């Protein structure tokens, strides 16, 4: 029962963040185009400092959900940061600028889970350092939130030396669509068209949204599955154990992005590499439910290997979410994913002894079905592939 409650709480908080971001993405893009990138970046970082700290101080369920929603709605970093990475570089260095953004994302995937896993509930994890009657005993998730907020404060101070780039590049949307989405060869003419009638762009957005749905649901389910009791088909991991697994998986993704993905992309191209990654993800996800029969070193090797491989096989498509429409659609799909994943996970725990895909086997089956749908969408007639990527 506790696991189901945790699943519902975690899912609602994740969904509320993505709903807030989905509602505000286009607005923040418009504001950044009008007043500049720097003000939006500064305000968004300030919102992270305040709202992330308030999240750690939440004592009621509604407080946690509200602060997550506001954090998503007031955090307009995504589009301005990607636009900034293009505008601050000369044309020949724009791919490098975008790769730095992806690298920063990869570093976050390492540091974030590790921070949460090792610092959450410090009274329980480190009773010899933190007293039960201290502020961290009353607010068990305040310590990791404070660490993140302090780091964000340092980033905010560094923004003093951040130059504004809006005046340098008036053709933001053209540059973003050309350098990131790569949906057309003649970007200037494409920009004049209605984005909703630009089928290469829209088909790539929809495909990416399906993969985003899968990846977000996978992240949610993986955490819930590992901490749930073995009698419910889980692994009975602690939050520290989960954080460690996610940190290692994030580190493998970072290494892959820095040293391997560029080489793979040059040989296979973005479309073929995405198809291969999606196809290889299916057997890995199918193997997760059977890891509950393992223990000790065998479980560690199997789980860490699967998590690392699945991490690097996630479509490297963050670049396709540069414009406001794509960010909004992606955020809405990512809002549906954790809520749906939590509901399905709770439902699956009630059917541990049925004959047809019992318990978590059904959860991972549905994850695989979503991945297969995304894989199918990468083929004709749905996905319109530009000539240079065929």
């Amino acid at each position: 029962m506790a696991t189901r409650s945790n699943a519902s709480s975690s899912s609602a908080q994740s969904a509320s963040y993505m709903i807030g971001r989905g509602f505000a993405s286009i607005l923040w893009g418009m504001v950044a185009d009008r007043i500049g990138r720097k003000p939006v970046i500064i305000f968004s970082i300030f919102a992270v400092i305040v709202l992330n700290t308030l999240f750690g101080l939440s004592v009621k369920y509604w407080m946690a959900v509200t602060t997550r929603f506001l954090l998503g709605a007031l955090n307009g970093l995504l589009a301005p940061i990607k636009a900034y990475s293009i505008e601050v570089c000369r044309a020949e260095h724009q791919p490098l600028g975008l790769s730095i953004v992806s690298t920063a994302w990869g570093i976050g995937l390492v540091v974030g889970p590790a921070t949460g896993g090792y610092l959450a509930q410090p009274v329980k994890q480190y009773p010899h350092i933190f007293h039960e009657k201290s502020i961290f005993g009353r607010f068990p998730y305040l310590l990791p939130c404070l660490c993140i907020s302090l780091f964000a404060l340092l980033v905010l101070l560094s923004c003093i030396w951040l130059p504004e780039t809006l005046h340098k590049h008036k053709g933001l949307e053209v540059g973003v669509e050309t350098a990131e989405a790569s949906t057309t060869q003649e970007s200037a003419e494409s920009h004049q068209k209605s984005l909703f009638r630009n089928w290469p762009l829209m088909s790539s957005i929809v495909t990416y949204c399906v993969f985003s749905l899968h990846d977000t649901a996978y992240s949610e389910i993986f955490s819930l599955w590992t901490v749930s009791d073995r009698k419910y088909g889980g692994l009975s991991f602690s939050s520290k154990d989960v954080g460690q697994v996610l940190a290692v998986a994030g580190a493998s993704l970072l290494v892959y992005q820095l040293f391997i993905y560029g080489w793979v992309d040059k040989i296979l191209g973005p479309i073929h590499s995405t198809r291969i990654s999606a196809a290889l993800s299916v057997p890995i996800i199918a193997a997760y439910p059977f890891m509950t029969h393992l223990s000790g070193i065998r479980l560690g090797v199997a789980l860490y290997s699967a998590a690392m491989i699945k991490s690097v096989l996630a479509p490297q498509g963050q670049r396709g979410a540069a414009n406001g429409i794509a960010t909004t659609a992606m955020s809405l799909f990512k809002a549906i994913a954790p809520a749906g994943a939590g509901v399905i996970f709770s439902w699956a725990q009630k059917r541990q002894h049925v004959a047809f895909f019992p318990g978590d086997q059904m959860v991972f089956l549905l994850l695989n079905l979503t991945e297969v749908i995304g894989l199918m969408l990468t083929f004709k007639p749905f996905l319109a592939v530009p000539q240079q990527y065929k």
Side-chain angles (χ1 to χ4, degrees):
M1 185 66 69
T3 304
R4 294 174 198 157
S5 176
N6 292 338
S8 300
S9 300
S10 174
S11 301
Q13 292 167 21
S14 300
S16 63
Y17 173 82
M18 288 299 173
I19 291 173
R21 195 174 82 170
F23 283 145
S25 294
I26 294 180
L27 174 62
W28 283 118
M30 295 170 60
V31 172
D33 287 343
R34 182 172 294 273
I35 69 173
R37 321 301 182 207
K38 184 175 180 178
V40 173
I41 292 173
I42 291 176
F43 179 82
S44 298
I45 297 174
F46 178 76
V48 169
I49 296 172
V50 175
L51 293 170
N52 193 64
T53 304
L54 290 177
F55 178 75
L57 293 170
S58 299
V59 293
K60 299 289 185 180
Y61 178 70
W62 66 266
M63 292 175 60
V65 173
T66 301
T67 53
R68 292 293 291 173
F69 174 81
L70 291 176
L71 181 58
L74 299 180
N75 183 0
L77 276 174
L78 185 59
I81 285 293
K82 292 192 174 192
Y84 194 95
S85 67
I86 292 175
E87 295 171 343
V88 78
C89 299
R90 295 196 298 267
E92 63 271 21
H93 294 146
Q94 287 178 359
L96 175 61
L98 292 173
S99 68
I100 293 175
V101 175
S102 297
T103 301
W105 177 274
I107 294 174
L109 293 178
V110 178
V111 177
T115 302
Y118 283 100
L119 299 183
Q121 299 178 312
V123 172
K124 182 179 179 180
Q125 296 196 67
Y126 314 105
H128 57 290
I129 299 178
F130 299 94
H131 195 270
E132 186 176 356
K133 294 183 179 180
S134 66
I135 187 173
F136 298 111
R138 183 181 178 187
F139 304 104
Y141 299 100
L142 177 61
L143 183 58
C145 290
L146 276 181
C147 291
I148 295 171
S149 295
L150 289 175
F151 176 76
L153 178 60
L154 296 177
V155 175
L156 180 63
L157 294 176
S158 70
C159 289
I160 297 174
W161 296 277
L162 193 70
E164 179 58 70
T165 61
L166 179 62
H167 62 281
K168 295 182 180 180
H169 297 265
K170 297 299 183 181
L172 168 63
E173 294 83 358
V174 174
V176 172
E177 290 174 13
T178 302
E180 292 196 283
S182 299
T183 57
T184 178
Q185 290 180 322
E186 300 177 359
S187 57
E189 294 179 7
S190 173
H191 181 57
Q192 299 301 321
K193 299 178 182 178
S194 171
L195 289 178
F196 292 102
R197 297 174 61 183
N198 185 347
W199 183 244
L201 175 62
M202 297 309 297
S203 63
S204 64
I205 289 175
V206 172
T207 303
Y208 178 59
C209 284
V210 173
F211 281 123
S212 296
L213 175 71
H214 166 83
D215 290 339
T216 307
Y218 165 79
S219 299
E220 186 76 16
I221 288 173
F222 182 84
S223 298
L224 294 174
W225 170 67
T226 50
V227 300
S228 63
D229 197 275
R230 281 187 174 269
K231 67 181 180 180
Y232 293 118
L235 299 179
S236 299
F237 274 22
S238 66
S239 60
K240 182 190 293 186
D241 296 330
V242 178
Q244 186 169 305
V245 174
L246 294 177
V248 171
S252 64
L253 175 60
L254 178 60
V255 172
Y256 177 75
Q257 287 179 331
L258 288 176
F259 303 107
I260 302 176
Y261 177 69
W263 174 72
V264 172
D265 185 67
K266 288 181 179 180
I267 295 177
L268 299 176
I271 305 300
H272 290 298
S273 61
T274 298
R275 291 169 180 167
I276 294 174
S277 297
L280 292 177
S281 295
V282 173
I284 294 175
I285 293 175
Y288 276 126
F290 302 99
M291 292 184 188
T292 57
H293 302 293
L294 303 176
S295 61
I297 188 66
R298 291 189 300 171
L299 173 60
V301 171
L303 182 64
Y304 276 86
S305 299
M308 291 169 64
I309 296 173
K310 179 64 179 73
S311 179
V312 302
L313 290 179
Q316 309 298 308
Q318 292 93 346
R319 295 180 299 176
N323 59 69
I325 294 176
T327 304
T328 299
M330 179 189 67
S331 298
L332 293 177
F333 272 72
K334 286 189 173 184
I336 296 172
V343 171
I344 293 174
F345 187 84
S346 298
W347 166 72
Q349 288 192 326
K350 301 175 184 178
R351 51 190 311 278
Q352 294 293 325
H353 305 292
V354 300
F356 182 74
F357 288 96
D360 295 335
Q361 290 186 29
M362 176 59 72
V363 176
F364 289 105
L365 172 65
L366 295 177
L367 272 180
N368 264 339
L369 289 178
T370 308
E371 184 82 335
V372 170
I373 292 173
L375 175 61
M376 293 172 62
L377 293 181
T378 63
F379 291 91
K380 292 182 178 180
F382 183 82
L383 184 64
V385 183
Q387 187 65 36
Q388 64 265 36
Y389 292 116
K390 292 182 179 179

